[in-house]
Amino acid sequence: MALVALMGSSVLFPLIFRASTWACLFCFTTHEERLRVCQMFVGTEGSKLGQCKDALTAAFEGLSDMEINYDERSHLHDAFTQMTLSLQEVAAAHGSFKAAFPSAAAKMKRTIHHLKKVQDCILPCGVQEATRRFHCWGCFSTVCDLPLDCPVQDVTVKRGDQALFSCIVGFQLPESELTYSWKFAAGGLRTQDVSYFRDVPGAHGYLARIRPVQPTHRGTFSCVILHDQRPLARLYFYLNVTGPPPPGETELQVTFREVMNWTPREAETIEPWRPSLGELLARPSALTLGNLFLIAATAAFVSASVTVLVWSNVTSFLKLLNPFFPYHDGLHPQTVSENKPFFL
């Protein structure tokens, strides 16, 4: 089994190596097309057919390492199709393949050189579809081998000013189906770890603006450029906020603190109006019949109260003078003793 595997690999290697020497021809023509060309030149005889195939391979060896613009593949395919038709016409005219094959290969080489050139890779990052190239030696295409993540760009803005981020790359982008996704890693982090980022609501275009910038905006902003939901590049912006707050903001903060520390005063009460007698009499509508009656009653009450008060005071004073000055209260008659002195 090991011997069979070794023999198989030894047979496969020359086939791969041989295919790579005429890979441009192999990529853009089929086996049936190449076989038909040789059959028209030399017929179906085995030995002559083999010589024709070897001559065709040798003629196109100079195109084995060609790289073409990926968008030019259809043009190159049409050129090879036209070449096979031209070779068939030469064979039909009884021409020699020994002269026809080198001439066709030289013409094809000139055609390839006139195709649109492959664009150079633009550093430092991104999936640059415009630089995709087709390799004839393996019939496959590649793009620039660059990382998806671009280096972090530093942006310094004073507190209260405006921060503007542009999600723009140096390489050509597709013209349609482009979308932009903005994310933010808060807490002052400078990172490219996608697990720290959260979506920024309301930011969908290639420009993002923050106004006014506050210390809470310090951190890393990320913009992902997508084409048909496939990421093409990830840009990072580290926002550093510096400087003291603006004067207007300081006054606002002082006002805010005063409002927060404010305590409500005691509730004001509305007292009923109690006019004096002069204020009452000064009112035009005060001397009504009812008010006059109340005034008279009040005056009588005050007069009686004063009389009672005065009489009570006089009686109390006379009682204090009872030992020295006899008086008649109408109930207990008393006489003055002749043996007791009297003082005025």
Side-chain angles (χ1 to χ4, degrees):
M1 292 294 294
L3 181 61
V4 173
L6 182 60
M7 291 179 61
S9 62
S10 64
V11 173
L12 183 60
F13 178 78
L15 290 177
I16 296 176
F17 179 78
R18 183 176 180 179
S20 65
T21 61
W22 53 300
C24 270
L25 184 65
F26 175 80
C27 294
F28 297 100
T29 61
T30 63
H31 173 74
E32 289 76 12
E33 290 173 341
R34 296 188 298 271
L35 180 61
R36 186 180 303 113
V37 168
C38 285
Q39 287 176 345
M40 293 186 66
F41 273 107
V42 298
T44 59
E45 185 179 349
S47 59
K48 292 183 178 181
L49 193 60
Q51 292 177 1
C52 180
K53 291 179 179 180
D54 291 340
L56 185 60
T57 300
F60 283 86
E61 282 183 350
L63 304 181
S64 59
D65 296 330
M66 297 296 294
E67 294 182 355
I68 65 170
N69 191 308
Y70 188 76
D71 294 336
E72 297 292 320
R73 291 175 301 115
S74 59
H75 295 162
L76 190 57
H77 182 270
D78 294 341
F80 270 100
T81 300
Q82 185 62 37
M83 181 201 70
T84 57
L85 295 176
S86 299
L87 289 175
Q88 291 177 12
E89 293 176 355
V90 173
H94 304 287
S96 171
F97 68 83
K98 294 182 179 179
F101 289 166
S103 176
K107 184 178 180 180
M108 187 57 62
K109 189 173 184 178
R110 290 193 298 269
T111 300
I112 292 175
H113 281 295
H114 283 87
L115 295 176
K116 186 169 63 175
K117 303 301 180 183
V118 179
Q119 296 187 21
D120 294 331
C121 299
I122 299 176
L123 299 176
C125 58
V127 180
Q128 304 176 21
E129 193 64 30
T131 64
R132 184 177 290 276
R133 60 197 66 201
F134 185 84
H135 303 274
C136 280
W137 63 268
C139 299
F140 67 94
S141 66
T142 60
V143 293
C144 297
D145 187 18
L146 296 174
L148 181 67
D149 293 336
C150 301
V152 179
Q153 304 178 43
D154 289 287
V155 179
T156 302
V157 178
K158 291 183 179 179
R159 182 177 181 178
D161 289 351
Q162 172 181 284
L164 186 65
F165 308 113
S166 300
C167 194
I168 299 176
V169 291
F171 56 89
Q172 181 181 350
L173 293 173
E175 297 181 357
S176 61
E177 299 182 1
L178 277 179
T179 56
Y180 298 85
S181 174
W182 288 89
K183 299 178 182 296
F184 176 54
L189 290 177
R190 182 187 180 93
T191 180
Q192 290 179 296
D193 189 343
V194 295
S195 63
Y196 288 101
F197 288 87
R198 298 294 180 268
D199 292 332
V200 177
H204 304 291
Y206 71 95
L207 289 177
R209 181 176 61 181
I210 302 174
R211 183 181 59 183
V213 172
Q214 300 296 335
T216 55
H217 298 140
R218 184 180 292 110
T220 306
F221 289 83
S222 171
C223 171
V224 183
I225 305 176
L226 301 103
H227 176 246
D228 194 19
Q229 303 303 317
R230 186 170 63 95
L232 300 182
R234 256 196 305 260
L235 283 71
Y236 298 90
F237 307 90
Y238 179 74
L239 178 60
N240 186 26
V241 183
T242 62
E249 183 178 349
T250 303
E251 295 176 0
L252 181 61
Q253 289 178 348
V254 171
T255 304
F256 178 75
R257 284 194 295 269
E258 291 178 353
V259 171
M260 294 301 295
N261 296 330
W262 176 79
T263 55
R265 298 178 180 177
E266 295 181 358
E268 296 181 355
T269 58
I270 300 178
E271 296 181 355
W273 179 58
R274 296 185 177 89
S276 63
L277 181 59
E279 293 176 341
L280 183 60
L281 295 176
R283 295 173 62 88
S285 60
L287 298 178
T288 62
L289 183 61
N291 289 342
L292 290 174
F293 176 77
L294 292 175
I295 293 173
T298 302
F301 176 77
V302 171
S303 178
S305 299
V306 170
T307 301
V308 172
L309 180 62
V310 170
W311 177 253
S312 176
N313 291 333
V314 170
T315 303
S316 299
F317 179 71
L318 293 176
K319 287 181 179 181
L320 291 175
L321 298 178
N322 185 30
F324 308 101
F325 185 78
Y327 68 95
H328 190 310
D329 59 2
L331 295 177
H332 303 283
Q334 296 181 357
T335 58
V336 177
S337 175
E338 295 179 357
N339 299 324
K340 293 182 180 178
F342 174 72
F343 298 95
L344 294 175

